[in-house]
């Protein structure tokens, strides 16, 4: 299995949870790191402020040069002793007074700890007024007496405890973040499951759908994107179910229609005698011609699904109507009359329109007798162009008005002669390819008017 296949094998629910946890982990880690740095910076700022404050207080006392009773300090040592005696250092603060004496030093320390001698030596030796040595932040103030006496006031601060408190706070924050990650992971797992439930239903339903069973649908809840996906999937299933049903019905009807002429041809050939050969040839030829017409009509209906089935172009309606009228008069011995001629330029496919009107005229011939009146006409009004054929036949029963435009449907009207039931289906396909519709007006026993109504505007494309 390749890397891509392994990645695709991971369920979407797991990927959503993992990405969410990864994002939260990165954010929470950044929060902990930034919080730690800010707290440590605050601790160092607090130490610097405390050192600066102690140094400022000692400097002010040294500049005054007198104690509370206005008595002057007679030496730097006296100043240091006096100042140290009145200080109350914090637990982490160390105050040191240093003066040279008899070739050695005098040390006095106050505070929460002792300053290592080596560290103190380095602090006294450095020319800087503040700094960091080992774990001690320090500052110093040098006092010079007029008689050459000298003293140094050193302030030290141990930051270990403050930094330990910072680390403890960050650890607590990390534990809280870890608990939050666990809670977020559980919540992400539950929420992702709820969100993806319709998707799982889509997958399961798609896996169970076969050509024989397209009835399953997905329950739709809510109005979010997932619900919209389920609705679209159900709509797709509706279209597929209708398409498969139409296809099965079409195949059944087509096989039935083609089986009949095949049976007739085979029967005559099997039973034919030498003396019957001319009549057998004539019958077989007629049936083969009928099969050819059925196949041609089926191919035409199949082409109706293509985008180039109709090719509209500007056409003079009066000229097109006259041409159609001249062509339909050859279909049978009827009393053909021109019922109306529209005038103006329309955008239609003249060949397809002619084919549709001829099919309607042929249908009228099949339902009338010699000498019966058949009217053909056209009209242009309100942006619509209409073509119609009116006959004086038996009319169309109410129950058949929708079905007769389906494939292989002939209707229940007595007296119908010939045809495979594809003519009116072709008429409807041509009308719908023009974004139009078929029209039927009929009163049983008083004839019928079949027509098509199309847009007359700019050239259109097939659906």
């Amino acid at each position: 299995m390749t890397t891509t296949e392994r990645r695709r094998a991971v369920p979407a629910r797991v990927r959503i949870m993992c990405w969410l946890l990864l994002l939260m982990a990165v954010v929470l880690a950044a929060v902990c790191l930034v919080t730690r740095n800010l707290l440590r910076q605050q601790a160092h700022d607090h130490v610097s402020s405390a050192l600066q404050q102690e140094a400022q207080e000692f400097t002010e006392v040294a500049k005054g040069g007198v104690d509370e009773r206005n008595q002057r300090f007679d030496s730097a040592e006296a100043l240091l002793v006096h100042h140290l005696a009145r200080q109350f250092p914090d637990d982490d603060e160390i105050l040191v007074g240093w003066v040279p004496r008899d070739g050695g030093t005098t040390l006095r320390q106050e505070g929460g700890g002792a300053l290592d001698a080596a560290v103190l030596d380095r602090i006294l030796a450095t020319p800087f007024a503040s700094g960091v040595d080992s774990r001690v932040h320090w500052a110093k103030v040098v006092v010079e007496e007029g008689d050459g006496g000298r003293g140094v006031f050193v302030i030290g601060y141990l930051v270990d405890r403050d930094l330990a408190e910072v680390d403890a706070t960050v650890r607590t924050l990390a534990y809280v973040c870890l608990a939050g990650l666990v809670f977020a992971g559980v919540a992400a797992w539950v929420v992702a499951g709820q969100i993806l439930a319709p998707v799982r239903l889509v997958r399961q339903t798609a896996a169970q759908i076969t050509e024989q069973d397209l009835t399953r649908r997905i329950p739709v809840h809510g109005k979010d994107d997932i619900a919209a996906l389920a609705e679209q999937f159900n709509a797709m299933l509706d279209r597929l179910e209708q398409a498969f049903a139409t296809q099965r019905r079409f195949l059944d009807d087509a096989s039935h229609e083609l089986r009949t002429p095949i049976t007739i041809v085979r029967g005559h050939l099997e039973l034919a005698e030498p003396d019957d050969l001319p009549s057998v040839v004539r019958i077989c030829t007629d049936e083969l011609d009928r099969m050819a017409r059925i196949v041609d009509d089926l191919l035409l209906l199949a082409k109706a699904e293509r985008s180039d089935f109709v090719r509209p172009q500007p056409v003079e309606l009066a000229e097109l109507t006259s041409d159609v009228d001249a062509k339909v008069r050859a279909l049978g011995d009827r009393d053909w009359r021109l019922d109306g001629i529209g005038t103006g330029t329309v955008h239609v496919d003249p060949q397809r329109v002619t084919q549709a009107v001829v099919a309607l005229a042929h249908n009228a011939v099949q339902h009338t007798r010699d000498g019966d009146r058949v009217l053909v006409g056209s009209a242009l009004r309100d942006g619509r162009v209409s073509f119609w054929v009116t006959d004086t036949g038996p009319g169309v029963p109410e129950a058949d008005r929708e079905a007769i435009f389906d494939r292989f449907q002939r209707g229940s009207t007595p007296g119908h002669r010939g045809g495979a039931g594809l003519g009116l289906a072709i008429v409807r396909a041509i009308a719908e390819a023009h974004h139009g519709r078929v029209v039927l007006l009929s009163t049983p026993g008083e004839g019928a008017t079949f027509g098509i109504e199309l847009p007359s505007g700019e050239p259109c494309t097939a659906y």
Side-chain angles (χ1 to χ4, degrees):
M1 182 181 293
T2 64
T3 304
T4 302
E5 292 173 339
R6 286 197 298 268
R7 183 168 61 250
R8 289 178 179 174
V10 179
R13 189 177 187 181
V14 175
R15 293 204 300 270
I16 291 175
M17 184 187 69
C18 291
W19 277 108
L20 179 62
L21 291 180
L22 177 61
L23 178 61
M24 289 193 63
V26 172
V27 172
L28 293 178
V31 169
C32 291
L33 181 61
V34 172
T35 302
R36 177 179 179 274
N37 292 337
L38 289 177
L39 291 177
R40 291 178 70 90
Q41 185 61 44
Q42 289 178 0
H44 289 301
D45 292 343
H46 172 69
V47 170
S48 299
S49 178
L51 293 175
Q52 185 177 3
Q53 180 182 355
E54 291 292 344
Q56 184 65 31
E57 291 177 357
F58 179 76
T59 300
E60 292 177 356
V61 173
K63 285 182 178 180
V66 296
D67 59 14
E68 293 82 357
R69 294 173 294 181
N70 287 328
Q71 294 181 357
R72 296 190 61 82
F73 300 114
D74 54 4
S75 64
E77 181 179 0
L79 172 62
L80 292 170
V81 171
H82 175 272
H83 185 72
L84 289 172
R86 287 162 175 76
Q87 299 302 307
F88 300 95
D90 297 334
D91 293 339
D92 297 325
E93 192 176 24
I94 302 173
L95 303 178
V96 178
W98 177 90
V99 293
R101 175 183 293 178
D102 299 334
T105 61
T106 298
L107 291 172
R108 181 183 178 90
Q109 298 195 27
E110 298 286 346
L115 195 61
D116 186 82
V119 175
L120 180 60
D121 289 342
R122 290 195 294 271
I123 293 174
L124 295 175
T126 182
F128 302 109
S130 61
V132 180
D133 192 302
S134 184
R135 60 190 182 91
V136 179
H137 289 242
W138 58 268
K140 67 180 180 178
V141 180
V142 180
V143 180
E144 300 286 350
E145 293 294 331
D147 58 359
R150 182 172 179 270
V152 181
F153 179 60
V154 179
I155 311 102
Y157 205 99
L158 302 174
V159 297
D160 291 351
R161 186 158 62 181
D162 289 348
L163 297 181
E165 291 178 356
V166 170
D167 293 338
T169 300
V170 174
R171 279 195 301 272
T172 302
L173 179 61
Y175 294 147
V176 173
C177 292
L178 182 61
L181 276 178
V182 174
F183 176 78
V186 174
W189 180 263
V190 174
V191 173
Q194 293 177 347
I195 293 176
L196 295 176
V199 178
R200 289 197 301 273
L201 283 176
V202 170
R203 177 178 58 81
Q204 294 170 359
T205 303
Q208 297 172 358
I209 290 174
T210 63
E211 182 181 349
Q212 287 73 32
D213 182 14
L214 291 170
T215 59
R216 294 182 59 85
R217 296 295 182 270
I218 300 171
V220 179
H221 304 288
K223 297 182 179 180
D224 53 10
D225 292 339
I226 301 299
L229 172 63
E231 290 178 351
Q232 292 298 322
F233 189 81
N234 288 339
M236 180 191 69
L237 290 180
D238 292 338
R239 294 191 296 270
L240 286 176
E241 184 178 11
Q242 182 178 4
F244 273 104
T246 302
Q247 183 186 53
R248 284 194 295 267
R249 191 165 56 248
F250 172 76
L251 291 176
D252 293 340
D253 293 339
S255 63
H256 172 73
E257 293 295 330
L258 293 176
R259 189 181 298 116
T260 300
I262 291 175
T263 302
I264 294 174
V265 170
R266 176 180 295 172
H268 280 80
L269 290 177
E270 291 176 349
L271 301 176
E273 297 292 341
D275 296 339
D276 300 331
L277 187 60
S279 62
V280 170
V281 171
R282 179 179 57 80
I283 293 174
C284 292
T285 302
D286 290 342
E287 292 302 317
L288 290 175
D289 290 342
R290 187 158 70 93
M291 288 178 61
R293 287 195 302 271
I294 293 175
V295 172
D296 290 340
D297 290 343
L298 292 176
L299 291 175
L300 179 62
L301 289 173
K303 291 179 180 179
E305 305 295 331
R306 293 167 43 179
S307 60
D308 60 347
F309 178 61
V310 295
R311 298 178 181 178
Q313 62 188 54
V315 178
E316 288 297 328
L317 180 57
E319 182 178 351
L320 177 60
T321 306
S322 298
D323 291 343
V324 170
D325 178 63
K327 293 177 181 179
V328 300
R329 291 177 181 273
L331 295 177
D333 185 13
R334 301 293 185 270
D335 182 12
W336 296 98
R337 297 190 181 185
L338 196 57
D339 193 28
I341 299 180
T343 58
T345 302
V346 295
H347 289 83
V348 296
D349 186 328
Q351 293 183 358
R352 295 302 184 195
V353 170
T354 300
Q355 187 176 16
V357 178
V358 169
L360 294 179
H362 185 266
N363 180 72
V365 169
Q366 290 179 330
H367 289 84
T368 56
R369 295 184 296 271
D370 291 348
D372 286 350
R373 180 180 301 174
V374 179
L375 307 178
V376 179
S378 67
L380 175 62
R381 54 181 175 271
D382 299 330
R384 311 284 292 184
V385 57
S386 302
F387 297 89
W388 66 86
V389 175
T390 301
D391 62 64
T392 56
V396 181
E398 186 71 27
D400 293 342
R401 295 190 179 184
E402 291 294 332
I404 60 175
F405 289 99
D406 294 334
R407 300 174 183 180
F408 300 108
Q409 297 296 323
R410 299 184 180 85
S412 59
T413 303
H416 178 271
R417 301 188 299 274
L422 293 174
L424 294 181
I426 293 174
V427 172
R428 183 170 67 176
I430 293 173
E432 291 179 348
H434 283 85
H435 300 290
R437 64 189 183 96
V438 291
V439 178
L440 170 58
L441 303 174
S442 177
T443 301
E446 299 181 6
T449 297
F450 289 84
I452 57 175
E453 186 177 280
L454 315 175
S456 62
E458 292 300 321
C460 58
T461 57
Y463 57 93

